[in-house]
Structure formats: C-alpha cells, structure tokens
Amino acid sequence: MTEAVPPLRRVLVVADPLHTFVTYKDSTYAMMRELARRGVALAACEPAHLQWRSGEPVTALVREVTLTDDAHDWFHVRRQGREPLHAFDAVLMRKDPPFDAEYFYATHLLQQAQREGARVFNDPAALRDHPEKLAVMAFAEWAPPTLVTRSAEAIRAFHAEHRDIILKPLDGMGGRGIFRVGADGLNLGAVIETLTQHGHTTIMVQRYLPQIADGDKRILVIGGEPVPYALARIPQGGEVRGNLAAGGRGEARPLSERDWAIARALGPVLAARGLLLVGLDVIGEWVTEINVTSPTCFQEITQQTGYDVAARFVDALEAAVRAGAAASADGRTGAAT
C-alpha cells in the first residue's frame, strides 16, 4: 500500500521582516513553529520581494529558514534565492496592516500566482474585498450604528444622534488613531480635521459601546468554525482602547451564546469567500471589525486555556490544501474525458 503524501512539505510565509517578530506573542511565529513541528520546510519573504515578469511566473526572493529554541535568535537562514510561488504547497499571506497601495498591489501579484497554481491563504481577492474596518458593512445587522464618510457634516450629525462616538482611520491597526468624543463634543472638530485630513480621507465612526470596559473580544474563526475561546482585551488606565498593542490586558474566556451566534452566522460566509482565518472583534453584543490580513491572539489563548490554536489552524490549512489538490485533479480528469 502506498503511503499518502503529506499535504504540506514546503510553505512560504509572506510577512513583515522576521527579525521584527515578538516571538512570545506573535501568531505567525506560532504557525511557523507548528508547521516546523510537523516536519514542514519553511521559507519566508516580504511583499517587497514579490515579482512578476511577462513570460514567467510570479516569484519571490525567499529565505529558507530553520527555527531554533532561542527566542532572541529564533531562526537561521539556510539558503536564499528566487523561486516561483507555485513551487510551494501553500503560501500564507501574513503581512500586517496598513492596507495601503503596496498591500493592494501585493494581493494582485498573489492572485496571479494563484492562476499559475499557487495556493494562497487567505485568498488575495478576498483580502481586497474585506478591508478590516469596511467588512462590517456586509453584516450590518451584527454591527453597532456605524458611519463611513469623509464628510464633517455627516460626522457631526452622527454625533448629535448618538452623543458618544468612536472615530478611527480605515487603515489603522493595534488601536492607532482611535478617538472617543463624548456628549460634550469636546475637540470633535479637531478630531474630524485630523482623521479626515480636512475632508480628503474617509474614516469610520461608530457609536461608543460602554461594554468595552469588559473587553474587546477577539474571536478567531478557522475554516468557518470558531475557536471556542475568545481573548477579551481589556482597556487599562483610563484608555478606551483594549488593543494589546495599546496596553490592553488579554484575558481568554469561553465564547458566550452571543459570541457563538455571531461566529456561526459570519464564519461559514467568510470561509466560502476564501478566508481561512478571520478575527472577529466583538464588544458586548456587536461586531466592530472583521480582521482578515493577519489575525492574532493565538498564543495568548493557548497559554491561558491549553487550547492549541496553531495546531487547529495548521489542521485547517492541510485540509484546505488537500481539498484544492483534489479539485485540481478532478478538473484535470474532467478535461481529459
């Protein structure tokens, strides 16, 4: 009997520079550790290393790496060279925001690599279609009152209606650039001018949710199914932002009934659109953001609950690669008959 070929032998990770990883909390690092544990050969590159030339496939200047047990010197480069993306069993797009023009261009290069046979996760077209903040527009019934605009007049009217609001840039991450304006409207004009750049930049405005005091929950959805624990990121020291990068304290908790309802409603829809991994941000009863570029919180949930999120993710990745290979084989068989 022929032994089954493992679905993953080589994986390419497209991410920020490896030396910038904070390994004790980085979810991409956790993915890479789990892949290495399963004997998968790892390579890494940055979006800037992607390249296409007419008559050739999409390539990247990649570094083949091995992982060490040293948190400060956690990888060694074995070899460096340019390779086509379709030479890997899977390509993980894990570049952190901002979702700027260069990120947009990278998704087009990755989509071309898909046409050439590469299997990219999350799907590049789905990444473009689901910017972190704007993705909630497709699920408005699960979101708090929200406004997307560059109009100062519209923002002032929204504030007059809801009295206590949060304003944030569309391309931010980690809580950067988020402002709260209360009922007194103090500094609303200055905040509007700063964030919209005097009406030239579109922003998001949402009704302030006081339940933030109990945490901004990150619910991870993998392959359409939720991880049974969320990480509640609790603001500290008078902050309105719970983001860990803004000093929030992370507390892992079992999903509530409402959390399960949200995840089960959105998860299958997002998975069907090519999003293998999604991070839903939930405050109280409401989804405030849908993170698809590089959702995190793997390590915090695993450390506090023992639930191995990275293993769950790699299981789903293997299943997705197997399914893609089977679909390709069926397509070839159909074309031959």
Side-chain angles (χ1 to χ4, degrees):
M1 181 176 178
T2 304
E3 186 176 346
V5 176
L8 298 175
R9 290 166 292 184
R10 301 180 73 219
V11 170
L12 173 65
V13 179
V14 183
D16 290 307
L18 296 184
H19 71 268
T20 66
F21 283 26
V22 181
T23 55
Y24 72 87
K25 65 177 183 178
D26 193 283
S27 293
T28 305
Y29 171 77
M31 294 175 183
M32 295 174 71
R33 292 293 309 184
E34 177 61 20
L35 287 163
R37 189 189 67 80
R38 300 187 188 198
V40 178
L42 296 171
C45 73
E46 300 166 36
H49 299 148
L50 299 172
Q51 177 177 295
W52 177 81
R53 181 173 178 173
S54 55
E56 299 178 5
V58 174
T59 64
L61 182 63
V62 307
R63 295 192 294 173
E64 294 180 354
V65 299
T66 55
L67 306 191
T68 74
D69 293 323
D70 185 338
H72 302 289
D73 183 24
W74 64 272
F75 67 93
H76 291 161
V77 178
R78 293 191 293 111
R79 190 182 71 85
Q80 180 170 299
R82 188 161 289 281
E83 289 196 55
L85 269 61
H86 64 65
F88 295 89
D89 298 308
V91 177
L92 301 182
M93 177 50 160
R94 291 287 300 174
K95 173 70 177 69
D96 283 342
F99 192 99
D100 56 11
E102 286 301 326
Y103 191 100
F104 181 82
Y105 303 147
T107 66
H108 277 286
L109 287 165
L110 292 170
Q111 190 170 17
Q112 175 59 26
Q114 277 187 320
R115 298 184 190 106
E116 298 159 357
R119 297 188 177 96
V120 184
F121 304 93
N122 282 325
D123 179 82
L127 289 174
R128 286 199 303 276
D129 289 344
H130 297 80
E132 316 276 62
K133 307 292 191 298
L134 298 180
V136 298
M137 294 193 298
F139 305 97
E141 68 272 28
W142 298 97
T146 300
L147 171 70
V148 178
T149 186
R150 65 173 72 175
S151 165
E153 180 181 358
I155 296 170
R156 290 184 181 280
F158 189 87
H159 176 262
E161 178 182 357
H162 295 287
R163 307 298 294 164
D164 200 350
I165 62 174
I166 293 290
L167 304 92
K168 50 190 172 182
L170 295 179
D171 62 354
M173 66 168 290
R176 297 172 193 162
I178 292 179
F179 292 87
R180 177 187 177 187
V181 176
D184 59 9
L186 188 64
N187 287 329
L188 178 59
V191 172
I192 293 172
E193 291 173 4
T194 299
L195 290 183
T196 69
Q197 299 183 57
H198 297 275
H200 290 91
T201 300
T202 301
I203 67 169
M204 173 173 279
V205 191
Q206 291 180 322
R207 184 181 68 195
Y208 173 72
L209 300 172
Q211 297 93 332
I212 183 63
D214 190 45
D216 179 354
K217 290 178 286 187
R218 165 62 55 83
I219 300 173
L220 295 169
V221 181
I222 300 173
E225 293 292 330
V227 169
Y229 298 93
L231 189 76
R233 297 159 298 174
I234 303 167
Q236 302 294 297
E239 267 284 358
V240 298
R241 302 171 297 172
N243 310 73
L244 300 183
R249 177 174 60 84
E251 180 182 299
R253 300 173 183 167
L255 299 190
S256 69
E257 288 187 17
R258 174 69 174 184
D259 296 337
W260 280 108
I262 291 169
R264 286 171 170 159
L266 275 61
V269 176
L270 295 167
R273 295 176 182 178
L275 296 166
L276 181 69
L277 173 62
V278 173
L280 305 175
D281 287 351
V282 174
I283 299 175
E285 303 258 305
W286 306 106
V287 179
T288 59
E289 295 183 17
I290 299 175
N291 296 270
V292 301
T293 52
S294 58
T296 187
C297 298
F298 279 37
Q299 296 205 59
E300 293 87 350
I301 290 173
T302 298
Q303 289 161 4
Q304 293 184 38
T305 69
Y307 186 93
D308 197 331
V309 183
R312 164 81 178 275
F313 172 78
V314 176
D315 285 346
L317 178 64
E318 289 179 339
V321 170
R322 281 195 190 98
S328 296
D330 289 344
R332 289 193 297 271
T333 302
T337 56

